[in-house]
Amino acid sequence: MQRTQISAWLGVAPAWFVIGIFGVLPMLIMLGISFMVADPYGGVEPAYSHEAYIQFLFERDLDDSLIFNPIYLNIVLRSVGLAAITTALCLIVGLPVAYFIARQPESRRDVLILLITIPFWTNLLIRTYAWILILTRNGVVDARLQSVGFEAGTFDLLYTNTAVLIGLVYSYLPFMVLPLYASLEKMDFRLAEAASDLYANRWRVAWEVILPLAKPGIVAGCLLVFVPSIGAFIAPDLLGGGKRMMLGSLIYFQFATARNWPFGAAVSILLMAFVMLALLVYARVNKGQGLPAGGH
Amino acid sequence: MKPAVEAKSVSKIYETAGHAPVKALDNVSLAIAENEFFTLLGPSGCGKTTLLRLIAGFEFPNGGHILLQGQDIAHLPPDKRPVNTVFQHYALFPHMTVAQNVAFGLRMLKRPQAEIGDSVRQALALVKMEAYGARRPSQLSGGQQQRVAFARAIAPHPKVLLLDEPLSALDLKLRQAMRLELKRLQRETGITFIFVTHDQEEALTMSDRIAVMSAGHVQQVGEPLAIYESPVNRFVADFIGDSNFLDGAVVKTAKGGALIKVAPNFLIETSAAGAAKGDKVSLALRPEKITLAQPVKGLPRGVVREAVYIGNSTTYMVEIDGGIGVTVRESNSLSGQSHFAVGDRVGVVVEAGAARLLAG
Ligand SMILES: Nc1ncnc2c1ncn2[C@@H]1O[C@H](COP(=O)(O)OP(=O)(O)O)[C@@H](O)[C@H]1O
Ligand SMILES: [Mg+2]
């Protein structure tokens, strides 16, 4: 019995090693840095301080008293808001796309799914730069619409929340479509037929049968879009022009430009805590429902 | 009274890219009466499911009309047709309880909550599943799922219930029990049943009338007795029960009867059905309608070539002098013995009217 226990341990040891090195260790380092003092030339000085967490909510007056400073909280709210809207838009766009693909003949489905993943073949940074050309004043959209009578600059969308949203939806849409497709693809569409036989019109079929059965895919897709877009920094930075800062760009800014590693680390930890809280709530809500993913 | 369902020259062709078009139904006409237990019987692929799907509204005919109580329903989508289906694969909603499944149709029809509760209870009671309302379909056996599928389809009190081989997934004992059950349910609810099966025994035991189908055509429509005793053609005679097929020529006709010679010393008397002297005809003769006797003079005689014991009866292959062979089924003696053995010489008795003249 002893021996089987030991060999069982040895069996999973590589997994623990990988999780430890690539998962736990970096987080511990981050946690450590967030409780240190910033070195103005970059890096940290090895001294304890929780100043970074105070800085998140307060400013220090000349006489060292704390004044509430909502600027970072605003960034959090904007990030959560943009991420939520991004998730909703991805769901609204992604559902019909995934449904359409799932209803195609099998041979065509694989091709369409391949097409969905094609953007991944190019770097996100480059693809986001392309959006600058599309959204800028006299850019692709603006110029086209000028030719049908709109004034120049009417569709100068660059450096707006709209541009950031477009960029985010564009970046994360495949992460919504793929899990949705996975759950729709194995769904028994004869159930939709049964529902319409029982007097459900098209909308009721979608609402009563297809959506509930696609729920695991919807939840997975929403998580896969919401979590990364709350910490996104490429789209907010390039398309929001840094004016529309989000948590991701704030963290990036603290490490790369402001040289305040402890503060950057503290924001990262807070972001992570928030995401984990969201996951916990989700797990709680979903517990015990035991929904099968599809037909029988 | 108008028929509950009427198909008028209905055709259905499936076009699939890269395949030759399939003519699943070819000019099918049927009239199914109110409160009838009507069965579509035929081998797999003959178009039974297609006809049900046309009535339910999942497919649209390429030609012809489908009438429900005299009204053309071509323009109505499935959710607007007062027709419910018991699917071959049950298609119960896995994310709902049994009670929610049964309530689904009534809920879509926006019936009052109290009425839904009552109807669900009634429907579940009808199939003896009251105790299972809170279960999920995945927690039920195949037979129980079948009952729930039935309750779900019947709860909204449709005008017509379509049943697509609902018993085919059940084991033999359960299937036999469910036959009687379905028959009882049809009587109690007074709903018109259109029942699909490829099992002739199922069709014969349950139906008021049967339509025998093959390759997209209706071959014969009639009561079970008529289908069994008077098959109109070789396909029907062959598909329903066992038959000997004998070719011969009409040697004499008189008073609506005809004498047909199928072998030199083997004459069979049947009803004439328009045959004239000299015509070449085919006869269908059920094995149990032939009796074996001692090889006395005046009877067609032959030799038993094979005897297969099947419990209460024995099936004999008899080679009649002059070349033709017939299959005969006879009850065994009280002690269970077969009356004849391989190699015995026997006489063959065919009563007048035992054989059927086949068309075509
Ligand atoms: N959706 C479809 N597409 C193409 N061919 C079909 C389709 N459904 C049925 N068929 C063909 O139509 C014929 C009749 O099928 P069906 O009505 O299912 O027969 P049954 O229910 O009597 O077994 C078969 O040859 C079948 O292959
Ligand atoms: Mg079928």
Side-chain angles (χ1 to χ4, degrees), chain A residues 235-283:
Chain A
D237 217 43
L238 295 183
L239 302 176
K243 287 189 294 184
R244 311 284 165 182
M245 216 177 243
M246 284 176 72
L247 276 173
S249 29
L250 174 63
I251 294 165
Y252 173 73
F253 179 77
Q254 292 304 324
F255 277 94
T257 313
R259 308 269 165 147
N260 190 346
W261 286 22
F263 187 55
V267 177
S268 304
I269 296 290
L270 290 173
L271 171 60
M272 202 172 68
F274 179 78
V275 167
M276 280 170 84
L277 200 72
L279 285 177
L280 275 178
V281 169
Y282 158 69

Side-chain angles (χ1 to χ4, degrees), chain A residues 101-121:
Chain A
I101 297 176
R103 298 309 311 264
Q104 295 301 305
E106 209 161 325
S107 55
R108 202 177 308 163
R109 276 187 240 160
D110 297 341
V111 177
L112 290 170
I113 282 301
L114 189 72
L115 289 177
I116 293 284
T117 61
I118 274 190
F120 294 138
W121 298 5

Side-chain angles (χ1 to χ4, degrees), chain A residues 188 190-202 204-205 207-210 212-213 289-292 294-296, chain B residues 53 56 58 78-85 87 89 91-96 104-105 107-109 136 152-153 156 158:
Chain A
D188 186 356
R190 295 180 301 190
L191 293 174
E193 229 166 46
S196 70
D197 188 61
L198 291 161
Y199 314 108
N201 62 30
R202 271 207 248 173
R204 302 287 276 182
V205 171
W207 185 251
E208 301 278 350
V209 176
I210 295 177
L213 291 177
Q289 282 203 329
L291 264 188
H296 314 278
Chain B
R53 291 177 60 81
F58 301 133
D79 56 293
K80 298 282 187 315
R81 298 186 182 195
V83 171
N84 287 153
T85 308
F87 293 92
H89 46 87
L92 296 175
F93 304 125
H95 57 298
M96 297 181 194
F104 189 87
R107 203 153 56 77
M108 295 302 113
L109 288 171
R136 300 260 170 176
R152 184 180 70 171

